Amino acid sequence: MLRGMAILLGLQLVGEVLTRWLEMPLPGSVVGMLLLLAGLRAGIFRVDWVKDAAELLLSNLSLLFVPAGVGVMVYADLIARHWLALSVAASLSTLIVLAVTGWSAQYLARKGGK
Amino acid sequence: MLSPLVQTPLFGITLTLVTYELASCVYRRWPLALLNPVIVTAACIILFLSLLDIPYAQYAAGGDILLFLLGPAVVALGLPLYQRRAEIISRLLPTLCAVSAGAVASIVSATGILLLFGSDTGLILSMAPKSVTTPIAIGISEKIGGIVPLTAAIVVVTGCFGGMVGPTFCRLLGIRDPFAMGLAMGTAAHGLGTGRMLEIDRFGGAMAGLSIGLNGVITAAIIPIFVALLP
């Protein structure tokens, strides 16, 4: 577990350094994710080193968003002033993205003979 | 007497974990989309803090520690991607096309709907990166001249909504393949869509995680074009 956590945090740190250094418009964690993938592929890390820590974080991913959700209260005034436009745009647009992405993925994957 | 205790991380973390555990019990008993544990927990905590007049900053002493763990959690998504790499490589082109289509659909529909409402430009620019994961969306909003805190709030609300209704909506549209549903959930509702998808299907969750990164990169790259087209 500890080794896994050290690897995950270490790769995030490397990702943060790289994105800052190369001025990439990406969070360091996304680069860290790609580094973990590359490291596992290259045999630098073994699956059982990171498995426990990764499982713990991923099976509780939704919990980690709760504080950001509570943060909405700080901007309550701004949101209250534009609530109708914001809620219609956010919900309708989310449904449109789900439909466009899901349909095109399913259609293209089937066409590709899968 | 209790106020120094409220300022310690112990308060925010314990409040979040206990409330989330209770909300999860309720959700297991009545698995309704409206009882989504993230939304119920956040709403209960907001109510609790408001009633007791505790400022958000004191809750954040603990809340920020949980939020910090999102970083290593995103890195951890590399593991399911590695374990299913053969399936991903064989579907690389459909993945790229579908996420790009979703990124364009997100920017066009979000800004378009606000234009119909006659909203001002600041609001529209804040809304434009709504489906992108929080850290990338903040960077984009800053760059194109949006209101950064508003973008952060919109992103979380979008993620909650997408995570809540996404799977049911996809099934209604006939999107049942975990590959397609995962991409849709990750592209539309970033980490919250991914969290929900991981509960449904491991491989779908990995695809959702991949699309968080892809959507972030694609949106960051193409959003200036759409901003230039705004009236």
Side-chain angles (χ1 to χ4, degrees):
Chain A
M1 176 69 94
L2 262 186
R3 181 184 287 178
M5 211 56 208
I7 291 172
L8 295 178
L9 287 171
L11 289 176
Q12 190 189 352
L13 185 62
V14 174
E16 296 289 353
V17 171
L18 281 177
T19 51
R20 263 153 235 232
W21 185 42
L22 302 172
E23 290 176 18
M24 288 191 262
L26 273 178
S29 55
V30 172
V31 175
M33 172 179 92
L34 298 173
L35 290 174
L36 177 63
L37 179 61
L40 287 166
R41 183 86 182 81
I44 301 169
F45 309 124
R46 289 200 348 227
V47 169
D48 55 319
W49 289 356
V50 288
K51 204 171 171 222
D52 291 348
E55 286 289 329
L56 176 72
L57 289 169
L58 291 181
S59 46
N60 299 295
L61 192 60
S62 299
L63 164 78
L64 305 180
F65 278 91
V66 169
V70 178
V72 169
M73 72 186 277
V74 179
Y75 315 113
D77 289 349
L78 194 59
I79 294 167
R81 250 180 288 140
H82 304 285
W83 71 273
L84 185 65
L86 288 175
S87 45
V88 172
S91 54
L92 205 57
S93 170
T94 302
L95 296 181
I96 292 170
V97 178
L98 283 166
V100 168
T101 314
W103 271 334
S104 43
Q106 197 157 278
Y107 173 75
L108 291 168
R110 277 181 193 164
K111 223 179 88 179
K114 287 302 285 184
Chain B
M1 183 191 77
L2 285 177
S3 65
L5 201 55
V6 168
Q7 292 172 20
T8 65
L10 180 65
F11 167 72
I13 293 182
T14 311
L15 179 64
T16 310
L17 286 179
V18 170
T19 316
Y20 191 79
E21 208 42 51
L22 292 174
S24 301
C25 285
V26 172
Y27 183 70
R28 271 194 294 273
R29 185 82 210 275
W30 298 284
L32 306 166
L34 254 178
L35 290 177
N36 175 293
V38 178
I39 297 176
V40 171
T41 307
C44 288
I45 294 176
I46 290 176
L47 195 68
F48 180 82
L49 296 178
S50 313
L51 286 178
L52 294 185
D53 221 9
I54 300 169
Y56 172 76
Q58 299 195 346
Y59 165 76
D64 283 349
I65 295 175
L66 290 176
L67 209 53
F68 165 78
L69 289 174
L70 266 182
V74 170
V75 178
L77 284 167
L79 179 64
L81 286 177
Y82 170 74
Q83 289 168 325
R84 310 300 289 264
R85 62 195 179 282
E87 283 153 279
I88 294 168
I89 291 167
S90 72
R91 293 171 174 195
L92 200 58
L93 197 63
T95 302
L96 287 175
C97 293
V99 177
S100 304
V104 173
S106 176
I107 303 169
V108 171
S109 60
T111 55
I113 293 165
L114 285 185
L115 277 175
L116 290 178
F117 269 95
S119 305
D120 55 40
T121 316
L123 209 59
I124 295 174
L125 294 176
S126 314
M127 182 61 123
K130 72 154 199 357
S131 283
V132 178
T133 184
T134 314
I136 307 185
I138 288 172
I140 294 174
S141 179
E142 210 167 48
K143 218 176 205 172
I144 62 177
I147 308 157
V148 173
L150 184 60
T151 298
I154 292 171
V155 167
V156 177
V157 172
T158 299
C160 280
F161 178 75
M164 190 169 84
V165 305
T168 314
F169 184 70
C170 282
R171 284 187 202 109
L172 273 177
L173 296 180
I175 303 162
R176 287 163 194 281
D177 180 6
F179 163 75
M181 199 195 271
L183 286 183
M185 291 289 283
T187 307
H190 55 94
L192 282 154
T194 303
R196 182 73 199 280
M197 199 60 215
L198 281 167
E199 292 163 16
I200 298 170
D201 182 274
R202 217 67 191 151
F203 174 58
M207 293 314 294
L210 176 67
S211 55
I212 297 177
L214 281 178
N215 187 23
V217 181
I218 295 167
T219 303
I222 64 175
I223 218 165
I225 305 167
F226 292 94
V227 171
L229 290 175
L230 281 175

